[in-house]
Amino acid sequence: MEHLNFQLNPKTIIVFSIFLQFLLISVVNSSISTGQVKASTQHVEFVDSNSILENSYQLIRYQPRHVHISYGETPTEMFITWSTIDSISPSLATVEFGLKSISQYRVTGTSKFFQAPGTMNLTQYIHRVKLENLTMDTTYIYQCGSNVGWSDLFFFSTMESDPNWAPQFAIFGDMGNVNAKSLTRLQREVHLDMYDAIIHVGDFAYDMDTDDGLVGDSFMDQIQSIAAYVPYMTCPGNHESRDNFLHYKGRFTMPGKFDSMLYSWDIGPIHFVSISTEFYYYLQYGIKPLLQQYTFLEKDLEDANKPENRAKRPWIIVYGHRPMYCSNDDEDDCTNQETLLRVGIPFLHWFGLEDLFMQNGVDLVIWAHEHSYERLWPIYNRTVYNGTYEEPYRNPKSLTHVITGSAGCFETHDRFKGDKPDWSAFRTIDYGYSRLKPMNKSHLYFEQVSDDQDGKVIDSFHLIREKHEPYPIPRKMS
């Protein structure tokens, strides 16, 4: 009998193989649906593969994330803060750093358990290390972590010691995880070495507590490309208020003893003061923080005005989230005649800040909250007190205010009322951020960048104070 020479072409083999796989899967799925499979003559119980992973496989998550730095209480200090999902114990939170090698110095710090309230019960560990006695005018490379996991290499530069140094700042508020319009340009400019610090004037992520803190985690990942290289200085906003500002206090490390809610710091010719405007609006957390802040401000501004201190750092700049004034078309407090921040608690008029700032010669106040940019003429009690008609910001007779809350978030813009008040000098709803630079002890430069117009500077002014002294408080009309 003659044998047949039977051959299959490759296409037929592939089709036949797929058919066999489909047949096998059908048989197995049929067996699994009854909770068991049969192999030869033995009975085997079916076990869900997810259960195997959950019961026998533990993820290890020691790698640092959310790395960011901030200035300390003196020009030679720097805080390094980061997070890990798992505890690194018994290892210690550590920063290794140096001029050319990370092996030069090694400093340990603290670790703190952090749990985000919510149904998922998400936990993490926040690690903090304070570097002290740094050399000024120096760039260091560093990594943070522990014996069970290290970060990438980063770098930072310390403050300059030159008394004529003119540091540069990017300033903005209200930047979210979604629609963070200014972030990309800021990332590039930070790596072009344009800034000595970033100042975020409240409202982060929108919100840091959303989805049991996952939105906050994502936001901290986003800003690491900026904040791991340049000090990221902050103040709280209303979007941080949940659980008595738990996420804000837990995630950021600012100088001072008030959980980053209020503090002051010096850089070059500037004395910065960061405040919490939210103490006025969340009295359910107690009136004590408001009293502490007012007492702190009285003492801090008094010290800043001592002749030897004001001669060294003549510029006093305050930043906080909610403005005293604004011309937006909404129902925020700054649209009212008498805002809590400006005149204090209703009827009693306790803890109002406008008079306090006037009496201590504060040069500039920077706000956010409104998703727009607005520059005001020098103003007191809703009345303009310019220096002169030709040069309104030369030796002004009252406080100068700027609102910069347009860095971008999912809430988009806050539009303005149709008629611009006499005290409003310039306003726009373009997405963007501000830049500030003290030119010398008497001239300070401020500008606004538009992200809608590809980085164009759309507003700028020079604030000139030839004498940094208290403003005379005009007599209020009855």
Side-chain angles (χ1 to χ4, degrees):
M1 183 175 178
E2 186 177 352
H3 292 284
L4 295 177
N5 186 13
F6 184 73
Q7 294 183 340
L8 295 176
N9 63 43
K11 183 175 180 181
T12 303
I13 294 172
I14 293 171
V15 172
F16 185 64
S17 175
I18 293 173
F19 171 74
L20 288 178
Q21 290 182 50
F22 175 77
L23 182 62
L24 180 60
I25 291 170
S26 299
V27 172
V28 171
N29 284 342
S30 177
S31 299
I32 288 174
S33 67
T34 65
Q36 61 184 18
V37 296
K38 291 182 179 180
S40 299
T41 59
Q42 294 181 342
H43 178 268
V44 181
E45 291 291 336
F46 170 72
V47 179
D48 180 34
S49 60
N50 289 329
S51 298
I52 295 175
L53 289 175
E54 291 174 2
N55 294 329
S56 66
Y57 187 75
Q58 291 288 332
L59 293 176
I60 302 300
R61 296 165 292 187
Y62 297 138
Q63 293 306 123
R65 58 182 194 156
H66 309 163
V67 181
H68 56 287
I69 67 176
S70 51
Y71 284 124
E73 296 184 16
T74 71
T76 60
E77 294 179 355
M78 191 76 75
F79 288 109
I80 316 293
T81 307
W82 71 97
S83 163
T84 59
I85 296 177
D86 289 329
S87 171
I88 62 172
S89 179
S91 296
L92 296 176
T94 304
V95 172
E96 296 183 334
F97 66 106
L99 303 181
K100 296 182 179 180
S101 169
I102 58 172
S103 63
Q104 285 184 266
Y105 307 105
R106 182 182 177 96
V107 180
T108 59
T110 63
S111 300
K112 187 173 183 179
F113 175 76
F114 181 86
Q115 182 167 8
T119 57
M120 289 186 278
N121 295 315
L122 299 178
T123 61
Q124 59 183 295
Y125 293 81
I126 310 295
H127 313 282
R128 294 176 170 88
V129 174
K130 181 165 72 170
L131 308 184
E132 301 177 281
N133 301 314
L134 298 170
T135 303
M136 300 186 75
D137 307 338
T138 302
T139 297
Y140 291 92
I141 58 173
Y142 76 96
Q143 69 173 7
C144 58
S146 67
N147 292 337
V148 292
W150 292 101
S151 71
D152 292 334
L153 286 181
F154 302 105
F155 61 85
F156 66 82
S157 296
T158 55
M159 297 184 191
E160 295 187 19
S161 57
D162 184 353
N164 297 316
W165 178 43
Q168 300 185 76
F169 308 89
I171 306 174
F172 55 86
D174 302 80
M175 187 167 73
N177 169 250
V178 175
N179 196 36
K181 292 290 188 179
S182 295
L183 182 60
T184 303
R185 195 176 309 280
L186 287 166
Q187 288 169 331
R188 184 172 184 274
E189 291 180 346
V190 163
H191 291 283
L192 288 173
D193 197 25
M194 288 181 59
Y195 304 116
D196 298 287
I198 304 294
I199 299 177
H200 189 146
V201 193
D203 280 5
F204 307 79
Y206 282 75
D207 295 336
M208 287 197 289
D209 60 82
T210 300
D211 291 342
D212 293 1
L214 290 177
V215 171
D217 288 344
S218 181
F219 179 79
M220 300 305 291
D221 284 333
Q222 284 177 290
I223 66 168
Q224 178 175 289
S225 58
I226 294 174
Y229 300 93
V230 174
Y232 201 88
M233 310 303 288
T234 63
C235 72
N238 57 297
H239 279 267
E240 287 71 67
S241 64
R242 184 179 173 185
D243 300 306
N244 197 8
F245 303 87
L246 177 70
H247 278 265
Y248 174 79
K249 294 175 181 177
R251 293 178 184 268
F252 291 107
T253 309
M254 297 297 121
K257 61 181 181 179
F258 296 106
D259 290 330
S260 303
M261 297 293 283
L262 65 142
Y263 59 94
S264 63
W265 55 292
D266 297 326
I267 180 170
I270 300 176
H271 178 71
F272 277 115
V273 185
S274 174
I275 66 171
S276 173
T277 59
E278 304 317 295
F279 289 154
Y280 290 83
Y281 299 93
Y282 292 96
L283 292 175
Q284 67 266 37
Y285 297 134
I287 198 171
K288 183 179 177 180
L290 181 57
L291 176 60
Q292 285 180 325
Q293 176 168 267
Y294 195 82
T295 302
F296 166 83
L297 284 172
E298 287 182 315
K299 180 65 167 62
D300 185 86
L301 292 173
E302 179 185 358
D303 288 344
N305 273 288
K306 290 178 179 179
E308 63 274 20
N309 293 334
R310 196 93 200 224
K312 187 176 182 180
R313 293 189 173 87
W315 294 103
I316 298 178
I317 300 175
V318 177
Y319 57 91
H321 185 60
R322 300 198 203 204
M324 290 186 185
Y325 304 91
C326 70
S327 64
N328 296 86
D329 190 15
D330 52 37
E331 297 180 356
D332 288 342
D333 192 34
C334 56
T335 64
N336 296 325
Q337 287 290 113
E338 294 192 347
T339 63
L340 296 178
L341 187 68
R342 188 169 73 82
V343 302
I345 293 175
F347 306 113
L348 300 173
H349 287 182
W350 290 349
F351 313 126
L353 295 183
E354 188 170 42
D355 282 3
L356 182 65
F357 291 170
M358 291 279 287
Q359 292 162 357
N360 285 279
V362 172
D363 300 288
L364 178 66
V365 283
I366 301 172
W367 317 107
H369 189 59
E370 303 302 322
H371 300 170
S372 54
Y373 168 81
E374 187 166 17
R375 169 171 55 86
L376 278 57
W377 299 119
I379 185 174
Y380 173 76
N381 193 28
R382 306 184 73 84
T383 303
V384 174
Y385 293 95
N386 289 340
T388 64
Y389 181 81
E390 294 81 10
E391 295 183 282
Y393 296 105
R394 178 183 286 274
N395 300 319
K397 300 177 180 66
S398 57
L399 297 172
T400 299
H401 299 246
V402 174
I403 303 165
T404 176
S406 59
C409 66
F410 76 85
E411 291 184 355
T412 65
H413 303 291
D414 285 336
R415 298 190 177 276
F416 293 102
K417 295 177 181 177
D419 296 327
K420 186 171 72 171
D422 292 340
W423 42 260
S424 179
F426 179 89
R427 59 187 191 174
T428 179
I429 62 169
D430 278 14
Y431 288 114
Y433 55 94
S434 303
R435 298 184 185 129
L436 181 150
K437 182 177 182 178
M439 307 304 293
N440 51 45
K441 292 186 176 182
S442 61
H443 290 63
L444 182 144
Y445 178 71
F446 196 100
E447 67 183 19
Q448 179 67 8
V449 176
S450 170
D451 287 307
D452 292 356
Q453 301 183 48
D454 197 28
K456 179 182 177 181
V457 174
I458 57 172
D459 183 48
S460 65
F461 71 101
H462 283 90
L463 177 59
I464 303 170
R465 293 203 73 196
E466 292 163 320
K467 291 184 178 180
H468 297 270
E469 57 188 8
Y471 305 95
I473 296 182
R475 182 179 178 182
K476 296 181 180 180
M477 301 297 293
S478 58

